[in-house]
């Protein structure tokens, strides 16, 4: 690796924007991995569309983080020149695509949260975050609808599709708790009305999720132990592989364009 | 292609208020809800529409191309059916 990682001054607001930007970039990248590989052309397009929605969200959030930080970083540097330990995304979103059921379960868990999150963030006292929320909310609402419909059809489909989506839900469940966690850095932003308290969204999230799971004739996961670490840079083994692909070009040919 | 679990659907999109839904293509989907989503994802990515209809392709009864003589040629010689034989007074303006 010829190019050094950038340094980021993670003041609370910079960190807050970076965490959401990383969520959007990493999940968007995961969805882009389906391009040309989805089970049908229609679904290939749908997955790529959702990936592009998320990439758009990531760009706006990175740009805002760069502006707030004011240290000469930009969206490309944030995306291409930070190492695994500098990434702040939720562990859920870096989990590999697996089969289609697993991708839909990951999308469903996150979209059910993002839909509520962005809708609440439209009331942020930070005008830039409120504007990003207004745009992202419509995108997330569709991601939720799309993934919910698939969870129901896979769960209430064939024996094989039921088994696969049940496995995915059981495996990914432990990563859902991180969405509702708040650390000291975010507590101040919540008190200032810049951020919303995600814990307040949990009961509605659970209602949506359990409703769809039951309609899909699936069994709600019973484990309550939750994995965390993504927000502070402790990631699963999968993120490094993702980043090596995402960053390979800029790391090999710094600043290259086409 | 035989796809018993994902039959063919025809997609109609209305691009603006006041216009009619127009046929834009077809797609495969398991049911009406997924067909509508797929139509949104495949056919409205560049802001093409405000409203979508999806119709099962097998619900459409089509004219037989081999009967086009009987079906359509008789109309070709009846130019008086076109409203072009009237003098419209200037005061009427744009009709």
């Amino acid at each position: 690796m010829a190019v050094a990682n950038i340094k980021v001054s993670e003041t609370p607001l910079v960190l807050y924007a970076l965490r959401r930007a990383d969520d959007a970039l990493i999940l968007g990248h995961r969805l882009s991995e389906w391009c040309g590989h989805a089970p049908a052309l229609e679904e290939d397009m749908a997955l790529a569309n959702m990936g592009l929605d998320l990439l758009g969200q990531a760009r706006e959030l990175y740009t805002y983080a760069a502006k707030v930080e004011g240290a000469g970083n930009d969206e490309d540097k944030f995306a291409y020149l930070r190492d695994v330990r500098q990434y702040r995304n939720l562990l859920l979103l870096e989990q590999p695509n697996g089969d289609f059921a697993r991708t839909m379960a990951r999308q469903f868990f996150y979209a059910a949260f993002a839909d509520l999150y962005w809708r609440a963030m439209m009331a942020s006292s930070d005008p830039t975050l409120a504007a990003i929320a207004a745009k992202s909310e419509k995108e997330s609402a569709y991601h939720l609808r799309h993934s919910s419909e698939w969870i129901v059809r896979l769960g209430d489909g064939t024996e094989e599709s039921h088994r696969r989506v049940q496995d995915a839900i059981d495996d990914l469940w432990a990563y859902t708790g991180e969405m509702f966690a708040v650390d000291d850095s975010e507590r101040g932003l919540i008190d200032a009305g810049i951020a919303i308290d995600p814990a307040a969204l949990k009961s509605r999230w659970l209602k949506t999720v359990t409703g769809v799971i039951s309609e899909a004739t699936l069994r709600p996961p019973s484990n309550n132990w939750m994995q965390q670490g993504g927000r502070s840079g402790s990631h699963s083994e999968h993120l490094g592989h993702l980043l090596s692909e995402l960053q390979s070009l800029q790391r090999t040919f710094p600043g290259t364009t086409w | 292609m035989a796809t018993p679990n994902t039959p063919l659907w025809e997609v109609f999109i209305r691009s603006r208020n006041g216009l009619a839904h127009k046929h834009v293509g077809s797609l495969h989907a398991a049911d009406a809800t997924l067909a509508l989503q797929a139509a949104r994802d495949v056919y409205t990515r560049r802001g093409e529409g405000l409203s979508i209809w999806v119709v099962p392709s097998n619900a459409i009864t089509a004219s037989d191309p081999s009967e086009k003589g009987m079906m359509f040629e008789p109309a070709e010689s009846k130019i008086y059916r076109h409203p072009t034989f009237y003098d419209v007074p200037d005061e009427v303006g744009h009709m």
Side-chain angles (χ1 to χ4, degrees), chain A residues 42 46 49 142 149 153, chain B residues 28 31 34 37 40-41 45:
Chain A
E42 289 82 351
N49 286 351
Y142 185 75
E149 297 288 357
R153 280 159 183 77
Chain B
H28 288 279
D31 55 50
L34 291 187
Q37 287 189 4
R40 180 260 192 198
D41 285 319
R45 302 171 74 233

Side-chain angles (χ1 to χ4, degrees), chain B residues 56-72:
Chain B
S57 302
N58 64 14
I60 292 177
T61 307
S63 61
D64 184 344
S66 70
E67 293 179 344
K68 69 176 194 291
M70 173 190 80
M71 294 285 279
F72 307 117

Side-chain angles (χ1 to χ4, degrees), chain A residues 5-151:
Chain A
N5 296 323
I6 56 166
K7 287 191 168 51
V8 184
S9 314
E10 291 183 333
T11 58
L13 186 53
V14 170
L15 180 59
Y16 191 81
L18 273 183
R19 284 170 168 173
R20 276 77 208 168
D22 288 347
D23 286 348
L25 178 68
I26 297 304
L27 183 57
H29 184 83
R30 280 290 185 222
L31 293 177
S32 80
E33 292 173 355
W34 275 105
C35 192
H37 300 280
L41 177 147
E42 289 82 351
E43 213 43 46
D44 209 282
M45 304 274 289
L47 291 163
N49 286 351
M50 292 192 287
L52 287 168
D53 286 343
L54 291 162
L55 190 61
Q57 294 174 13
R59 292 190 61 184
E60 292 183 353
L61 288 160
Y62 281 138
T63 300
Y64 185 52
K67 191 177 152 206
V68 174
E69 188 195 16
N73 287 322
D74 59 24
E75 51 179 315
D76 284 343
K77 287 182 182 167
F78 283 136
Y80 295 127
L81 300 179
R82 282 180 305 147
D83 211 343
V84 178
R85 295 302 297 259
Q86 295 175 289
Y87 262 79
R88 302 287 178 243
N89 58 281
L90 297 165
L91 296 173
L92 172 68
L93 307 178
E94 71 200 38
Q95 298 309 306
N97 286 336
D99 54 22
F100 184 71
R102 187 161 296 245
T103 291
M104 279 301 122
R106 185 186 62 202
Q107 194 71 14
F108 170 60
F109 284 151
Y110 179 68
F113 171 78
D115 182 46
L116 295 169
Y117 171 76
W118 288 123
R119 216 181 313 156
M121 279 296 286
M122 287 163 68
S124 167
S125 65
D126 181 309
T128 307
L129 290 178
I132 293 172
K135 175 170 169 287
S136 304
E137 189 274 320
K138 296 182 192 75
E139 295 166 340
S140 298
Y142 185 75
H143 299 184
L144 174 59
R145 175 187 291 194
H146 181 94
S147 53
S148 304
E149 297 288 357
W150 272 114
I151 297 295

Side-chain angles (χ1 to χ4, degrees), chain A residues 187-207:
Chain A
R187 185 56 64 192
L189 297 175
I190 293 169
D191 293 342
I194 292 168
I196 58 105
D197 188 348
L201 308 175
K202 185 152 189 190
S203 63
R204 275 181 289 160
W205 178 85
L206 205 55
K207 194 166 169 237

Side-chain angles (χ1 to χ4, degrees), chain A residues 126-179:
Chain A
D126 181 309
T128 307
L129 290 178
I132 293 172
K135 175 170 169 287
S136 304
E137 189 274 320
K138 296 182 192 75
E139 295 166 340
S140 298
Y142 185 75
H143 299 184
L144 174 59
R145 175 187 291 194
H146 181 94
S147 53
S148 304
E149 297 288 357
W150 272 114
I151 297 295
V152 170
R153 280 159 183 77
L154 293 168
D156 198 13
T158 65
E159 203 178 305
E160 183 183 3
S161 69
H162 181 93
R163 173 176 55 78
R164 285 173 181 265
V165 75
Q166 182 72 61
D167 286 351
I169 282 175
D170 291 345
D171 290 350
L172 294 173
W173 187 251
Y175 297 112
T176 58
E178 198 178 19
M179 297 190 289

